[in-house]
Amino acid sequence: MIRDVSGSYRRAIAETVHHFGGWRPEPEQIDALKAEGHWNNDWQASLELLRRQGLQPLPPLNVVVEVFSRLYFGGDPDGDPSGWRGFIRSEPLLVQHGFFQALEQAGIAWGFVSGAEPPSCRYVLQQRLGLVDPPLIAMGEAPEKPDPTGFLRLALTLGTTSSGGALPVAYLGDTVADVHTVVAARRERPDLHLLSLAVAPPHLHTPEQTSAREGYEQGLRSAGADQILPSTASLEPEQLLGWLGTGPLSAPSPPAP
């Protein structure tokens, strides 16, 4: 998780639901939905909230996508990002360029698996973080999480040991779907050393949200997370190497989409 999407993607869910249903789900309702582990796609999450509210008939998915994208991008998603005026401009970064430099200096390869649209990912990774051609699998380039296809594809392309074996892999995310992705990958590739790292979303890291954060983190643990971090930026290369064993490793770290 490298950006705070509470004021962008999560806000777009709430405003999309309001556009069609006339009500705005509270952050706690969106958190609860995400905690089920099935709603990584925010378009589908918006539709599901409308369905649970009893809206009939439900709008077609393509119409939901159109409204959601207008709110989130505020311009042509495939156009010049300088022309975007939507919620995407309200995404505080949770790490800086130096975070990835530190990983590289420790011999740790990294990449990104995201459920966000490719233009959104490229904007954050390349323009805002200044990463050059970062390894990335975004929406539409692999089945949606918790299907492990994209995660395994990226992990296996980041590098191998001197003997040709796969390197140990850590995956950091902020949803139950992220954790389930690693669990599913272990079932598919039991020969790999896979670690699930998880962190609660930033909007839960306030004194007023302590109880909610603890509940969210317990949900991540119950889903199978191996380690709960206080923040993405708190992850130290030496700590990561210790969890996965000595030597360099591949560490895909997805943004929230």
Side-chain angles (χ1 to χ4, degrees):
M1 183 179 184
I2 62 172
R3 53 179 165 168
D4 182 353
V5 299
S6 58
S8 58
Y9 274 115
R10 300 253 177 155
R11 183 181 175 191
I13 292 175
E15 294 303 323
T16 298
V17 170
H18 179 262
H19 176 87
F20 292 105
W23 67 286
R24 290 182 179 86
E26 296 294 328
E28 295 79 9
Q29 293 174 284
I30 298 175
D31 286 341
L33 185 72
K34 293 284 187 177
E36 294 177 12
H38 310 298
W39 309 105
N40 193 63
N41 184 305
D42 288 344
W43 305 333
Q44 296 287 357
S46 301
L47 266 176
E48 180 62 13
L49 287 167
L50 289 167
R51 186 190 69 78
R52 295 186 185 189
Q53 186 67 13
L55 181 68
Q56 292 295 333
L58 288 173
L61 178 60
N62 67 305
V63 178
V64 171
V65 172
E66 179 182 348
V67 170
F68 189 102
S69 295
R70 185 169 66 245
L71 290 164
Y72 178 73
F73 286 103
D76 180 4
D78 296 316
D80 185 349
S82 67
W84 294 345
R85 295 293 180 267
F87 300 158
I88 191 173
R89 301 183 70 85
S90 301
E91 292 182 337
L93 293 176
L94 302 177
V95 295
Q96 300 298 323
H97 186 86
F99 177 83
F100 302 98
Q101 289 180 313
L103 293 177
E104 291 176 357
Q105 290 170 0
I108 300 172
W110 47 265
F112 304 88
V113 181
S114 175
E117 307 91 322
S120 172
C121 294
R122 289 192 295 268
Y123 171 67
V124 171
L125 298 177
Q126 298 178 2
Q127 295 199 28
R128 298 193 63 196
L129 281 171
L131 304 177
V132 179
D133 195 23
L136 168 67
I137 294 180
M139 176 186 284
E141 298 173 345
E144 294 178 4
K145 295 178 289 185
D147 186 298
T149 301
F151 166 55
L152 287 171
R153 182 192 306 163
L154 180 61
L156 294 171
T157 61
L158 286 178
T160 59
T161 64
S162 58
S163 61
L167 290 165
V169 181
Y171 190 78
L172 172 61
D174 69 336
T175 68
V176 168
D178 292 323
V179 178
H180 283 172
T181 298
V182 178
V183 173
R186 287 172 179 159
R187 289 196 297 265
E188 188 167 319
R189 291 295 305 269
D191 58 308
L192 300 180
H193 184 184
L194 306 175
L195 184 74
S196 172
L197 308 179
V199 58
H203 68 272
L204 295 179
H205 288 265
T206 64
E208 296 78 16
Q209 294 293 326
T210 298
S211 178
R213 188 190 74 249
E214 291 174 348
Y216 193 96
E217 291 175 343
Q218 183 55 50
L220 294 170
R221 290 190 186 91
S222 298
D226 299 297
Q227 299 287 343
I228 304 296
L229 304 179
S231 68
T232 300
S234 70
L235 179 63
E236 297 288 342
E238 295 77 10
Q239 179 185 47
L240 186 54
L241 289 168
W243 283 333
L244 286 176
T246 59
L249 54 95
S250 305
S253 178

